Amino acid sequence: MSKNWLLLLILIPVFVFAQNQAPVDKMLRSLESMKEDTLKVNQLNKIALSYSDSDSTKAFFYNKMAMSLTKKLQWKDGVAKSHFYRGTIYNVYFYYDKALNSFNQSLKTSNKKILSKSFQSIGEVYLNTSDFSKALDYSFRALKIDEAIGNKKGIAKVYANLGSINYGIKKYSKALEFYNKAAKLYEELANSKELAIVNRNLAGVYNSLRQSQKALLYYEKANILCEKSNNEALQARILSDISLVYFNLKNYDKAIENCYLSLNAIPSGTDDKQTISFSHGVLGDSYIEKAKANQHKNIFLDSAFTNLTKAVKLHQQLKSIRDLAYDFSSITEVHKLRGDYKNALISYETAMAYEDSIFNSDSKETIKNLEDKRAIELRDREIKINKLQLEAKEKQKWMLLSGLALLGIIGGLLFYQSSNRRKINRKLRTLNLNLAEKNNELDQANKIKARFFSILNHDLRSPVYNLIHFLHLKRENPELLDEATKISIEHKTMSSAENLLTSMEDMLLWSKSQMEKFEPEPKNVSINSLFDDTRKHFESEEEVKITFENSSDIQIYTDENYLKTIIRNLTGNAIKALNKVQNPTIIWKAWRENNQILLSITDNGPGATQEQFKALYDENEVVGIKTGLGLHLIRDLAKAIDCEILVNSKPDQGTSFILKFK
């Protein structure tokens, strides 16, 4: 199996400030003669940063001294800068929550450079934790400030981070584009240290693209630059990176050799958990591959399990969800090769749980929205530049008119200038109207996609997951199923698959009708038919008794698909609430009252508080979800078809949802 994704963590610039003791001692001696002013604050923070990779106690001690002095001096920007240094130190030791808190404190400043660095560092923290949408958001905020103030160093750093974000979501062409932009700026700035990091990142992308020779070439470039800047820590990481290149080339002995070289090359006194965990991960995978081709496989499997266990422990400390997903995938392979299918299933489910939490459709949509937002901002800026150019031309024309007035043709020139101005204004108004229309269309398109994909995700994901789960269980652990259980599961799976097909056909027909506009299409709908279709959707839920009370076949004029989606999701929520309830029951009911049609869905579950249903009534309340529809989407669908939803829930007595149609 490939572990190219592991390069993501080591692509992120990590603050390692390996300092010789002599410069630190020199800075400490200079403190004795310094006045208590802003220069001393900066010196204290530099000393704190110098100790950050070797002595955390001293690092926080001198940072605390700097913070106290800034407050005494009432230097607002100094307080923000000291918070930034504190966040940087926390980031070195992977205390991400504390780092984010300190960086957010550093945002309380008007200093553009501090703001840019803080946004950039917050983006790096989210990048470390694989939260790509937030990483992208904060990186764009930093880039906007750096571009405004012309900070080339800051722009280059953001480009490098944007390269890592695109690498993380496997957009390799964009990753190469941003890394090359960063490399060009660092060459102009003659910054060999950062240029070494970018060259290493480029090598990582080429390795992911299976261009091994290009990868090795860029690693060599990075290594030469490391020697110039005396960056031993990065050289150790490059050795670890090269081990992955050899792993992909199936030269496992060479991969193992470079892993051990990397572990031995880590500078003493540093605790580079990322490099150590990465090397153990590649060692684990290399030993797995050697075990597959060797008759004495148990020895190699033991070595693989030992190294992967070390990698898991370090990745848990680093809170690296992506790495943990791949570690447990490799551990699954070890158990399978040993014939231990029970533990293989456990580790596989753990890997899938981590994988599901990494990057769902919502985060992908968020990233797309942020990219669109960035594109709109760039387009707006171009329009502003064009407008300024037009205004400059206007001034030139006025100057010409003033000069030509002396020649006696003022009237003609004024008419000519006025005519041109009207034409230009008309063009500008047309451009602005077109831009506003395009922005509105883009916003509506994003909302439509978000709503539609949420519906698809909710109605189709669960049946597919049940089907895949059964097929995996049947293929990998058939001995766990007796004949009766197998027949029962096959019946449930077949029913679930048939319901899935029906749901897919409904969704595809609905999506076809909604391609141009996502609006209700009302018609007369039979409540009996609607509830009968919903009952079939939940046929596999045998433990829950579902009944329907309707004295006559009531017809309602509304959009069938909107109403069907609302009822399915409210019923699904009720089934989840009945998980541990004895004699679980759901009652559907339809009746007329005061010239209104009412539908109800009632369960005998544990009930809930009104606060938990706030999203049904408050449009400003948005409930985050991992899969399926949330109450906020049910609210929007109900509003679209003029339906009011009432909730009556009592502890230990159950919950009743009532749908009132006008």
Side-chain angles (χ1 to χ4, degrees):
M1 61 184 296
S2 171
K3 297 189 80 171
N4 291 337
W5 52 267
L6 276 170
L7 284 174
L8 174 64
L9 284 180
I10 59 174
L11 290 168
I12 301 167
V14 178
F15 294 91
V16 178
F17 302 91
Q19 298 276 354
N20 294 325
Q21 189 61 35
V24 178
D25 290 341
K26 185 177 179 181
M27 286 191 289
L28 287 169
R29 286 194 299 272
S30 69
L31 282 177
E32 299 174 2
S33 58
M34 293 182 75
K35 296 179 181 179
E36 291 195 341
D37 55 12
T38 58
L39 293 176
K40 189 171 184 178
V41 171
N42 291 332
Q43 187 81 317
L44 287 166
N45 278 320
K46 287 179 181 178
I47 293 170
L49 211 56
S50 299
Y51 279 118
S52 63
D53 68 321
S54 58
D55 192 332
S56 61
T57 302
K58 287 184 179 179
F60 286 114
F61 172 77
Y62 285 105
N63 175 258
K64 188 176 181 181
M65 287 181 64
M67 185 70 74
S68 298
L69 183 54
T70 54
K71 291 179 179 178
K72 183 178 179 180
L73 296 171
Q74 296 183 344
W75 183 28
K76 185 178 178 181
D77 286 344
V79 173
K81 187 180 288 187
S82 296
H83 277 299
F84 173 80
Y85 278 97
R86 182 170 295 181
T88 302
I89 297 168
Y90 278 130
N91 200 23
V92 170
Y93 291 95
F94 312 108
Y95 297 136
Y96 294 130
D97 291 338
K98 292 182 178 180
L100 284 175
N101 182 56
S102 295
F103 287 137
N104 282 318
Q105 291 294 323
S106 69
L107 294 174
K108 298 175 182 178
T109 178
S110 58
N111 187 302
K112 298 293 185 182
K113 282 194 174 182
I114 297 175
L115 276 175
S116 170
K117 287 183 177 180
S118 299
F119 283 135
Q120 183 186 105
S121 296
I122 292 171
E124 289 174 358
V125 172
Y126 284 123
L127 186 54
N128 280 326
T129 54
S130 299
D131 192 339
F132 301 115
S133 60
K134 288 184 180 178
L136 192 66
D137 182 20
Y138 281 96
S139 295
F140 279 149
R141 294 189 197 186
L143 183 60
K144 188 175 182 179
I145 295 172
D146 288 327
E147 287 176 340
I149 64 177
N151 181 13
K152 281 190 176 182
K153 186 177 179 181
I155 293 170
K157 195 68 173 290
V158 175
Y159 280 154
N161 287 348
L162 289 171
S164 295
I165 292 168
N166 281 284
Y167 181 89
I169 58 178
K170 298 182 180 180
K171 291 186 176 180
Y172 298 129
S173 59
K174 273 198 170 185
L176 289 173
E177 177 186 345
F178 281 114
Y179 282 143
N180 283 317
K181 285 183 178 180
K184 184 178 179 181
L185 285 173
Y186 282 133
E187 285 176 352
E188 293 175 8
L189 296 167
N191 191 330
S192 59
K193 180 181 177 182
E194 295 293 338
L195 187 57
I197 294 172
V198 173
N199 275 312
R200 175 170 167 261
N201 294 351
L202 284 165
V205 178
Y206 283 120
N207 188 40
S208 296
L209 293 170
R210 292 295 188 271
Q211 298 181 30
S212 302
Q213 295 307 314
K214 271 194 175 182
L216 290 171
L217 177 64
Y218 276 95
Y219 280 135
E220 182 60 27
K221 288 183 179 180
N223 192 50
I224 293 170
L225 290 165
C226 285
E227 291 176 354
K228 286 183 180 179
S229 58
N230 195 27
N231 193 339
E232 294 178 354
L234 190 57
Q235 284 180 298
R237 293 182 183 185
I238 290 171
L239 285 168
S240 189
D241 297 345
I242 293 172
S243 71
L244 187 60
V245 178
Y246 285 118
F247 178 87
N248 289 335
L249 291 171
K250 298 184 179 180
N251 190 341
Y252 305 120
D253 290 330
K254 201 73 175 174
I256 292 170
E257 177 187 348
N258 277 276
C259 283
Y260 285 119
L261 287 172
S262 173
L263 291 170
N264 292 328
I266 295 172
S268 60
T270 61
D271 185 20
D272 193 348
K273 293 179 181 178
Q274 289 177 324
T275 303
I276 297 170
S277 60
F278 180 83
S279 296
H280 283 303
V282 177
L283 281 169
D285 280 357
S286 298
Y287 282 123
I288 287 173
E289 296 302 324
K290 285 179 72 68
K292 290 178 180 178
N294 197 294
Q295 60 181 348
H296 303 295
K297 67 177 184 179
N298 287 331
I299 296 173
F300 293 110
L301 290 176
D302 289 342
S303 297
F305 186 79
T306 299
N307 281 285
L308 289 169
T309 302
K310 290 179 180 178
V312 166
K313 184 177 180 181
L314 290 169
H315 288 144
Q316 286 173 339
Q317 294 175 20
L318 294 170
K319 299 179 181 178
S320 180
I321 297 172
R322 181 178 293 273
D323 292 329
L324 287 167
Y326 279 82
D327 287 341
F328 279 103
S329 293
S330 296
I331 290 172
T332 300
E333 190 71 9
V334 173
H335 288 313
K336 285 172 66 178
L337 290 171
R338 284 176 170 170
D340 186 356
Y341 295 106
K342 181 177 180 181
N343 282 319
L345 180 60
I346 293 171
S347 57
Y348 173 78
E349 290 176 345
T350 304
M352 290 301 99
Y354 281 120
E355 187 70 28
D356 286 345
S357 65
I358 291 171
F359 200 69
N360 56 30
S361 61
D362 293 333
S363 64
K364 289 181 181 176
E365 280 300 300
T366 303
I367 287 176
K368 183 66 173 66
N369 293 341
L370 289 169
E371 289 176 339
D372 290 342
K373 181 181 177 182
R374 171 66 178 170
I376 291 169
E377 288 178 352
L378 291 174
R379 192 163 56 201
D380 287 343
R381 189 171 67 176
E382 289 176 0
I383 290 174
K384 287 180 181 178
I385 291 171
N386 291 335
K387 187 176 180 180
L388 290 172
Q389 290 175 342
L390 289 172
E391 289 175 354
K393 289 179 180 179
E394 291 290 324
K395 291 178 182 178
Q396 291 176 355
K397 288 177 182 178
W398 278 109
M399 291 176 66
L400 286 172
L401 286 172
S402 299
L404 293 173
L406 299 173
L407 301 175
I409 53 173
I410 295 174
L413 289 173
L414 284 172
F415 175 81
Y416 176 76
Q417 188 272 342
S418 177
S419 176
N420 277 316
R421 184 173 60 185
R422 283 195 297 271
K423 290 178 181 178
I424 292 169
N425 286 338
R426 282 197 296 270
K427 289 180 180 179
L428 281 174
R429 282 196 296 270
T430 301
L431 285 173
N432 289 332
L433 286 172
N434 290 339
L435 180 61
E437 289 175 0
K438 288 181 179 178
N439 288 343
N440 184 58
E441 289 173 1
L442 182 61
D443 182 62
Q444 291 300 319
N446 283 335
K447 289 179 179 178
I448 289 169
K449 284 191 293 180
R451 183 180 297 175
F452 185 67
F453 280 113
S454 293
I455 295 170
L456 284 177
N457 188 41
H458 182 273
D459 282 350
L460 303 183
R461 180 181 175 90
S462 180
V464 172
Y465 175 81
N466 290 336
L467 182 58
I468 292 173
H469 179 72
F470 170 70
L471 292 175
H472 273 298
L473 190 63
K474 185 176 180 182
R475 185 186 67 182
E476 298 178 5
N477 301 91
E479 70 278 7
L480 298 179
L481 304 174
D482 56 33
E483 192 62 30
T485 304
K486 187 184 297 183
I487 292 172
S488 176
I489 294 178
E490 285 178 345
H491 175 72
K492 290 181 180 179
T493 304
M494 183 64 69
S495 176
S496 180
E498 290 173 350
N499 289 332
L500 171 62
L501 180 60
T502 301
S503 298
M504 288 176 64
E505 290 174 347
D506 287 347
M507 286 296 176
L508 289 172
L509 288 172
W510 191 16
S511 65
K512 182 178 179 182
S513 67
Q514 298 295 336
M515 289 299 288
E516 295 297 329
K517 283 181 130 183
F518 199 93
E519 294 180 352
E521 296 181 354
K523 63 180 181 180
N524 284 321
V525 179
S526 167
I527 299 299
N528 284 347
S529 175
L530 187 67
F531 277 123
D532 186 61
D533 180 76
T534 306
R535 183 189 290 109
K536 290 179 181 178
H537 185 79
F538 294 102
E539 276 184 350
S540 60
E541 301 292 340
E542 298 176 349
E543 296 180 0
V544 180
K545 181 180 179 182
I546 301 177
T547 60
F548 173 40
E549 298 179 4
N550 183 20
S551 57
S552 60
D553 186 10
I554 296 175
Q555 300 282 324
I556 184 170
Y557 187 74
T558 187
D559 186 289
E560 181 180 4
N561 291 303
Y562 276 58
L563 182 55
K564 186 187 294 182
T565 301
I566 294 170
I567 292 175
R568 278 185 183 176
N569 281 275
L570 291 177
T571 303
N573 290 341
I575 290 172
K576 291 177 183 177
L578 295 170
N579 185 25
K580 297 182 179 179
V581 175
Q582 293 184 351
N583 300 320
T585 302
I586 295 175
I587 299 174
W588 296 328
K589 188 176 179 181
W591 72 98
R592 293 182 183 274
E593 182 178 307
N594 297 329
N595 294 325
Q596 282 188 312
I597 297 175
L598 292 90
L599 309 179
S600 70
I601 300 170
T602 305
D603 64 71
N604 61 340
T609 63
Q610 286 299 315
E611 185 68 21
Q612 291 174 270
F613 302 109
K614 188 177 180 182
L616 280 173
Y617 310 106
D618 187 357
E619 293 187 358
N620 296 319
E621 181 75 9
V622 178
V623 180
I625 54 173
K626 292 184 178 178
T627 59
L629 290 175
L631 292 176
H632 59 302
L633 284 173
I634 294 175
R635 176 197 66 211
D636 291 343
L637 291 173
K639 183 178 179 181
I641 59 173
D642 293 326
C643 173
E644 180 183 3
I645 300 179
L646 305 176
V647 182
N648 183 14
S649 184
K650 297 180 180 179
D652 301 322
Q653 294 184 28
T655 301
S656 180
F657 290 89
I658 300 174
L659 282 64
K660 296 177 67 175
F661 293 87
K662 299 176 180 178

